[in-house]
Amino acid sequence: MRRSSISRQLTQGLALVGLVGTLLLFLFVAIEYGMTFSTFFDREALPRVIHELSEHVLMPVLVLIVPMTLAARWVIRRSLAPLADAAERVDAAPEMARGFRIETGQLPLEAVPFADSVNALLARLDRAAGDQEAFAADVAHELRTPLTLLALEMDRLDPDTAAPLRRDIAHMRRLVDQLMLLAQIDADNAAQMPQTPIDLAELAADVAGRLAPLAVSQDRLIAVEGKAAQCVRGRREALAAALRNLIENALRVTPAGGTVTLRVGPDATIAVCDEGEGLSREQLDQLVRRHRRGDHASVDGAGLGLAIVARIMAAHGGSVTAEPEHRVVRLQFAPDTK
């Protein structure tokens, strides 16, 4: 079904009014001058009929209809311009923005009820998202205490018996931490928390240094390349968590004796290079969805790592991409222009 615009409907309506008015004017002139249908076939009367109709109908119609048409189109476009402006503001709104509402002050009166309904829907969605984040944070927080107590109880068990249980507890603790991080990311983004300048080279070196003991314990190394002082704006803790997740994933797929390399720059990027089989773009697209795991993931993964990375990068106006031919997962940041 073909949709018709308001502008077209109004133009067609004005054209119909003009046509009906022209016909009525023809009728009034014909009655005024006593014209009948047979008059149009009278060769002697026809010139007079044409003159009268031209003078009293065609000329007034042409004089009025052309400027009226132009004026009508201008008025229609001017009246609908606030709708186009509102649509541009909606399109320009950040993807993860909370509290966004359509401004109704400049909208035509007829469009205000529709905008108010959309704003009410957005408010309900904001409340639902906030409740979900609060619930996830509360659950994660409540789980931390029993996990800590359970880990302490493991000291009473035989080491061989306690070892697999400790791994399970570590897995659950990692999942709890990731749920807490997801909730914090969403909450900070909703509250529009201030962002600070971050040097990517310094960030990469710091995270790599913190994970170096883990890499050594797994017979692997972490190297950092690139010293360009490229700065971005963001929340340091969140960006460090995103990079940490990528490095941990890279350590899992890199064979013993291998090296995970962080390449900073030359633009606002950090590339994490492993020595595994590489992650295809299709696999990355699947893994950034929550609770999806790669076939190569280890049992201690929580299934949320890349989903967290994607969420953090989206909240900072960046992205995460894969280059399987180079066995690289790249973080692309929005450069600091302030």
Side-chain angles (χ1 to χ4, degrees), residues 253-268:
V253 300
T254 296
T259 300
V260 172
T261 304
L262 308 184
R263 297 194 179 101
V264 183
D267 52 1

Side-chain angles (χ1 to χ4, degrees), residues 6-338:
I6 296 176
S7 177
R8 178 178 297 177
Q9 292 180 5
L10 291 175
T11 302
Q12 292 175 348
L14 290 174
L16 180 60
V17 170
L19 178 62
V20 172
T22 301
L23 293 177
L24 290 176
L25 190 57
F26 267 112
L27 179 62
F28 292 152
V29 171
I31 294 174
E32 178 69 21
Y33 289 92
M35 299 178 186
T36 63
F37 187 74
S38 60
T39 305
F40 292 92
F41 296 94
D42 188 340
R43 292 184 177 180
E44 295 182 358
L46 185 59
R48 182 175 63 87
V49 171
I50 294 176
H51 177 267
E52 293 295 335
L53 292 178
S54 299
E55 182 178 353
H56 295 88
V57 178
L58 293 180
M59 290 301 297
V61 167
L62 290 176
V63 170
L64 291 175
I65 200 169
V66 172
M68 287 182 62
T69 300
L70 296 176
R73 290 182 63 84
W74 180 80
V75 170
I76 292 171
R77 290 182 178 180
R78 183 178 177 83
S79 300
L80 297 179
L83 296 177
D85 294 339
E88 291 180 359
R89 289 194 295 271
V90 172
D91 289 338
E95 181 180 356
M96 304 296 294
R98 278 297 169 75
F100 177 81
R101 299 294 183 269
I102 300 175
E103 297 180 4
T104 60
Q106 302 298 324
L107 292 181
L109 186 62
E110 294 78 5
V112 171
F114 175 77
D116 287 341
S117 298
V118 172
N119 286 338
L121 175 61
L122 292 174
R124 293 195 297 270
L125 292 175
D126 283 349
R127 287 195 298 269
D131 291 343
Q132 183 182 15
E133 293 160 9
F135 176 75
D138 291 342
V139 169
H141 180 73
E142 292 299 325
L143 285 174
R144 277 186 166 183
T145 299
L147 285 177
T148 301
L149 297 176
L150 188 59
L152 294 175
E153 291 295 325
M154 292 297 100
D155 295 334
R156 301 182 180 182
L157 300 177
D158 179 79
D160 294 336
T161 303
L165 295 177
R166 288 185 185 279
R167 287 195 296 269
D168 291 340
I169 292 174
H171 167 73
M172 294 180 64
R173 183 173 293 170
R174 176 176 171 81
L175 175 59
V176 168
D177 290 340
Q178 289 183 333
L179 287 173
M180 289 285 289
L181 181 58
L182 274 176
Q184 184 63 43
I185 293 167
D186 292 338
D188 288 351
N189 191 61
Q192 300 295 312
M193 296 294 290
Q195 299 182 344
T196 58
I198 301 171
D199 184 280
L200 292 183
E202 190 274 332
L203 176 68
D206 180 59
V207 176
R210 292 176 181 273
L211 291 177
L214 173 64
V216 171
S217 69
Q218 299 175 354
D219 192 23
R220 294 163 176 83
L221 296 176
I222 302 177
V224 180
E225 297 179 356
K227 302 297 183 181
Q230 177 68 58
C231 287
V232 300
R233 296 192 69 84
R235 292 181 286 277
R236 181 184 176 83
E237 181 181 355
L239 294 181
L243 184 57
R244 183 171 60 248
N245 270 291
L246 286 188
I247 296 174
E248 290 174 349
N249 288 341
L251 288 173
R252 282 198 291 267
V253 300
T254 296
T259 300
V260 172
T261 304
L262 308 184
R263 297 194 179 101
V264 183
D267 52 1
T269 64
I270 298 180
V272 179
C273 313
D274 59 59
E275 296 183 4
E277 297 180 357
L279 187 65
S280 69
R281 295 174 179 85
E282 292 75 16
Q283 288 175 317
L284 178 63
D285 182 62
Q286 292 293 322
L287 290 173
V288 296
R289 303 175 186 178
R290 293 185 183 182
H291 313 303
R292 296 301 297 268
R293 295 166 56 88
D295 294 335
H296 60 282
S298 65
V299 294
D300 61 345
L304 288 174
L306 285 174
I308 290 177
V309 174
R311 175 61 66 90
I312 292 173
M313 296 305 296
H316 288 78
S319 62
V320 53
T321 58
E323 300 175 11
E325 62 276 11
H326 300 129
R327 293 177 296 187
V328 166
V329 177
R330 186 182 303 275
L331 298 180
Q332 177 68 56
F333 299 88
D336 183 8
T337 57
K338 296 183 180 180

